[in-house]
Amino acid sequence: MATLEIRDLHVSVDSDAGEREILRGVDLTVRQGETHAIMGPNGSGKSTLAYSVAGHPKYRITRGTVTLDGADVLAMSVDERARAGLFLAMQYPVEVPGVSVSNFLRTSATAVRGEAPKLRTWIKEMRSAMDALAMDPAFAERSVNEGFSGGEKKRHEILQMELLQPKIAILDETDSGLDVDALKVVSEGVNRVRDTGEVGTLLITHYTRILRYIRPDFVHVFLDGRIVAEGGPELADELEANGYDSYIKAAASA
Amino acid sequence: MSVVTDTPGVTAFEIPTGREEAWRFTPLRRLRGLHEDLTGARELPVTVDAAPGVRVETVPVGDLSPSAAALDRISSLVRSAAASATVVTVPRDLVAGRPTIVRLEGPGTSPAAVGVVHVVAEPFSEAVVVIEHVGSATAGTNVEVQVGEGASLTVMSLQDWADDTVHVGRIHAVVGRDARYRSFVATLGGSVVRLVPTVEYSATGGDAELLGLFYADAGQHLEHRSLVDHTQPHCRSNVLYKGALAGDPALGETGIARTVWVGDVIIRAAAVGTDTYELNRNLVLTDAGRADSVPNLEIETGEIVGAGHASATGRFDDEQLFYLQARGIPADVATRLVVRGFFADVIGRLGVPEWESRLLAAIDAELGMAAEVNEDDD
Ligand SMILES: Nc1ncnc2c1ncn2[C@@H]1O[C@H](COP(=O)(O)OP(=O)(O)O)[C@@H](O)[C@H]1O
Ligand SMILES: [Mg+2]
């Protein structure tokens, strides 16, 4: 069973004011089959955690370890991490002009699976995955993320998750900017992958809304670069009712 | 804006000093005297693979009608130095079944070599002519194109030269009534390449598309200066040039990849109803690249359909690389996707599938990669 282990992770960025520490000791274990929610206010460092695990060059790891089934994730290049089974659905997916969605997806599937999927079966596979996410087939011929609406970008991210079948998927604010209908469609996509029991999901969110559709097993409250509280799904209900204020006050008085 | 005049004869043009607007970007010292004197120049060996029905002749240059092209010093030197010209004629009403390939092969860098090619698309014909430049040379070339009434002609000029080649050339087209002309210039090889694609219209309703791509590595100077002269009413022009620069920062000054694009469009007072747009985009892949991009639009009448231009030079976007790598795609393959994607729109407008694939393969080669193998495996 695949396990992602994050231990005492400290991460800094270079800012105009010099080096700035954003993650200040994160401990988290995500196993295949489990769903974790990380909830925290804007600016608390949630995306930094996601990008650091994925290997974005902007973030410097100053202390701690990240392993996937014992293998040192921090020693891997970005693409090696993805091929090892890590997936990050990004909060702000990047436009790649002139590269069609279908070419991109097939290149990606080829890399992750280790061989090119047969063209005919691949087209069927892609079509049915797009269909399940209520995406127009014409979408496949558009340039990656170029001119996509917020909702289209998020569907496209989840489409990739469905096709790449990662061991561990980190979804960074996949819910933000979606209307209720789109949120349902996207959540169903995530749940289809979860139902295989093959994926460990780390759901990063600012709101509790998505947790109505994707029920987490564990909830972690994230504040100022650290996990400050942990619990079951009931913790999300408590946050829904009371917000982050009590945690912010507790942190301030600590 | 400097518009060259069509005064004939070599002596009418002074040796450029580099201070002239038209020459200010060109490294004259690297031209091996091409701009000074071409006496003793030989001819570039030519081979032609013509589509059925397309006529090919070798004619003494003296038999050609005086050049319609707006000349500059080098092109007039080339015309004086050349004994013969290759004339490709697409007869009236012929729809050519495949591209006609004119191959100019560099015979070595010394002495200089010249080439004159005329392409004539007679009324209502349709054809694609590819002029391919390969090998080592110090070359001056003149290409003159006539697109007859209602004809549709694509002329592709591919500069696939060896690393030591210096090439200065003109590609001048006269576009007839309701004719369509598509010029595609692809410059990949050569040490210094300076090309001037120009278009004029002889009647109303002409449509000219000037497309180009260039890919400059360490030490290359690739310069393209287009000029569209709208003298006739109700004509269209569209210019799209895209360039990539991949110099080598480790080599210092000699590692710089240098590109120049100047796009001149003139809309004369008589050219009412003109519709024109020009665009240049450059992608800088390393720290050793310098791109100049200068659009010039001169408008002498307000009664036009549209006139616009845009130009932008941007660095390779590491966020794109990260996004693709985060989907398991190795960095070299990801870079290739981004660069191919950058050129995709201009290549897609060539409209000749086999040459589109060849251009993509050539770009892969520039990136130091073997061509994609799994594209069509089923
Ligand atoms: N590259 C960067 N340079 C400077 N500050 C950054 C950079 N990236 C993130 N930050 C800062 O780090 C903090 C955490 O950001 P982020 O991880 O995006 O938070 P969240 O996703 O929880 O909203 C914020 O204060 C943000 O401004
Ligand atoms: Mg965020």
Side-chain angles (χ1 to χ4, degrees):
Chain A
M1 192 174 58
T3 305
L4 177 73
E5 285 196 65
I6 300 170
R7 289 287 166 269
D8 193 30
L9 191 67
H10 290 248
V11 173
S12 297
V13 294
D14 291 322
S15 68
D16 298 338
E19 182 173 324
R20 176 167 163 215
E21 182 164 70
I22 297 173
L23 297 189
R24 304 187 301 136
V26 176
D27 289 283
L28 183 66
T29 303
V30 180
R31 294 183 183 82
Q32 228 165 355
E34 296 176 349
T35 300
H36 295 248
I38 285 194
M39 306 192 58
N42 272 336
S44 58
K46 305 182 299 296
S47 290
T48 301
L49 176 63
Y51 278 127
S52 300
V53 172
H56 194 293
K58 206 164 70 180
Y59 300 95
R60 193 158 69 249
I61 316 295
T62 55
R63 193 169 358 143
T65 58
V66 179
T67 58
L68 181 64
D69 296 331
D72 183 1
V73 169
L74 299 179
M76 300 178 194
S77 65
V78 175
D79 49 300
E80 281 168 346
R81 296 178 199 208
R83 294 198 296 275
L86 290 175
F87 179 84
L88 169 60
M90 295 190 203
Q91 185 174 358
Y92 302 109
V94 182
E95 295 183 1
V96 192
V99 178
S100 70
V101 166
S102 74
N103 184 16
F104 163 62
L105 293 176
R106 189 154 185 257
T107 308
S108 171
T110 301
V112 168
R113 297 176 190 180
E115 62 176 348
K118 282 273 163 270
L119 204 52
R120 228 160 316 164
T121 53
W122 166 252
I123 285 169
K124 264 191 223 134
E125 188 185 347
M126 190 178 73
R127 286 266 165 79
S128 75
M130 286 175 64
D131 198 42
L133 285 164
M135 297 168 84
D136 190 320
F139 200 85
E141 297 319 314
R142 289 171 63 183
S143 290
V144 171
N145 293 319
E146 199 179 36
F148 287 16
S149 69
E152 286 172 335
K153 283 184 181 162
K154 298 304 172 75
R155 279 172 216 236
H156 181 231
E157 293 294 287
I158 301 309
L159 174 65
Q160 295 167 53
M161 177 180 171
E162 291 206 65
L163 292 170
L164 299 178
Q165 300 284 334
K167 291 177 183 158
I168 304 289
I170 303 174
L171 311 184
D172 190 5
E173 299 218 20
T174 298
D175 51 337
S176 59
L178 294 185
D179 62 29
V180 175
D181 290 338
L183 182 62
K184 277 187 193 158
V185 168
V186 162
S187 301
E188 282 164 16
V190 175
N191 286 331
R192 275 192 297 277
V193 185
R194 286 203 315 149
D195 289 346
T196 62
E198 302 284 319
V199 69
T201 308
L202 184 57
L203 206 59
I204 293 176
T205 181
H206 180 72
Y207 306 103
T208 50
R209 202 166 65 125
I210 193 172
L211 305 182
R212 276 177 232 148
Y213 304 99
I214 305 172
R215 235 13 222 175
D217 306 306
F218 307 96
V219 174
H220 312 266
V221 181
F222 207 80
L223 196 72
D224 203 13
R226 254 195 295 233
I227 292 170
V228 295
E230 292 180 296
E234 73 288 347
L235 186 50
D237 301 331
E238 193 244 81
L239 284 170
E240 164 104 72
N242 304 322
Y244 297 109
D245 284 356
S246 61
Y247 295 98
I248 294 171
K249 283 200 194 92
S253 64
Chain B
M1 157 165 41
S2 78
V3 176
V4 279
T5 57
D6 58 358
T7 318
V10 178
T11 51
F13 301 95
E14 302 288 327
I15 296 177
T17 63
R19 285 187 295 275
E20 303 80 2
E21 173 59 33
W23 294 98
R24 68 184 172 112
F25 293 114
T26 312
L28 293 170
R29 267 174 312 186
R30 289 170 63 187
L31 294 188
R32 301 189 192 119
L34 264 181
H35 58 305
E36 290 166 353
D37 189 9
L38 281 178
T39 40
R42 49 192 163 167
E43 289 190 5
L44 281 165
V46 187
T47 47
V48 184
D49 174 18
V54 171
R55 253 186 358 253
V56 180
E57 296 146 289
T58 303
V59 222
V61 163
D63 290 2
L64 296 170
S65 53
S67 175
L71 293 174
D72 59 23
R73 180 173 178 94
I74 297 181
S75 61
S76 72
L77 288 176
V78 167
R79 199 179 156 106
S80 311
S84 64
T86 303
V87 179
V88 175
T89 305
V90 189
R92 191 182 175 99
D93 294 325
L94 180 82
V95 177
R98 60 174 173 86
T100 290
I101 316 292
V102 179
R103 191 177 163 91
L104 301 176
E105 185 148 6
T109 56
S110 182
V114 295
V116 176
V117 177
H118 283 216
V119 180
V120 181
E122 291 185 353
F124 307 105
S125 64
E126 284 180 36
V128 174
V129 175
V130 178
I131 304 173
E132 213 182 344
H133 302 88
V134 297
S136 288
T138 299
T141 60
N142 281 356
V143 175
E144 288 190 31
V145 178
Q146 285 172 46
V147 195
E149 179 176 354
S152 175
L153 177 69
T154 295
V155 177
M156 173 165 159
S157 181
L158 173 63
Q159 288 64 243
D160 201 7
W161 295 111
D163 289 344
D164 57 357
T165 290
V166 170
H167 176 201
V168 176
R170 298 203 55 152
I171 307 165
H172 181 74
V174 181
V175 179
R177 185 188 175 87
D178 298 328
R180 285 190 49 121
Y181 169 58
R182 186 186 288 133
S183 157
F184 196 108
V185 173
T187 304
L188 303 164
S191 167
V192 177
V193 177
R194 182 186 187 278
L195 292 178
V196 181
T198 51
V199 172
E200 64 179 277
Y201 300 85
S202 62
T204 61
D207 189 350
E209 205 176 357
L210 270 60
L211 307 170
L213 72 81
F214 46 88
Y215 192 116
D217 292 311
Q220 283 187 293
H221 174 102
L222 307 181
E223 178 172 349
H224 298 84
R225 298 177 154 264
S226 58
L227 165 65
V228 182
D229 193 355
H230 281 277
T231 51
Q232 299 285 336
H234 304 292
C235 291
R236 286 174 301 278
S237 62
N238 190 295
V239 181
L240 172 63
Y241 269 72
K242 286 199 156 186
L245 294 86
D248 184 350
L251 297 178
E253 197 65 20
T254 56
I256 289 175
R258 184 81 180 85
T259 68
V260 177
W261 175 82
V262 179
D264 291 337
V265 174
I266 311 171
I267 305 173
R268 309 276 181 188
V272 296
T274 293
D275 191 359
T276 177
Y277 188 76
E278 56 174 353
L279 171 65
N280 169 233
R281 290 225 184 293
N282 300 306
L283 177 64
V284 184
L285 294 166
T286 68
D287 284 332
R290 226 180 99 207
D292 275 290
S293 180
V294 187
N296 289 316
L297 188 53
E298 189 176 296
I299 307 180
E300 295 170 8
T301 171
E303 291 168 57
I304 56 171
V305 175
H309 61 76
S311 112
T313 297
R315 286 211 45 122
F316 184 82
D317 184 355
D318 291 330
E319 295 296 329
Q320 294 179 345
L321 194 60
F322 172 73
Y323 186 76
L324 298 172
Q325 282 190 269
R327 299 303 179 247
I329 301 170
D332 57 348
V333 179
T335 303
R336 175 172 67 196
L337 271 181
V338 171
V339 174
R340 277 177 161 235
F342 172 74
F343 285 119
D345 55 349
V346 66
I347 291 177
R349 279 164 65 177
L350 175 57
V352 189
E354 70 202 80
W355 282 90
E356 289 175 11
S357 324
R358 280 196 53 177
L359 286 175
L360 286 171
I363 286 164
D364 286 351
E366 288 288 333
L367 286 162
M369 272 174 250
E372 191 108 339
V373 282
N374 62 14
E375 201 98 299
D376 302 298
D377 57 355
D378 261 30

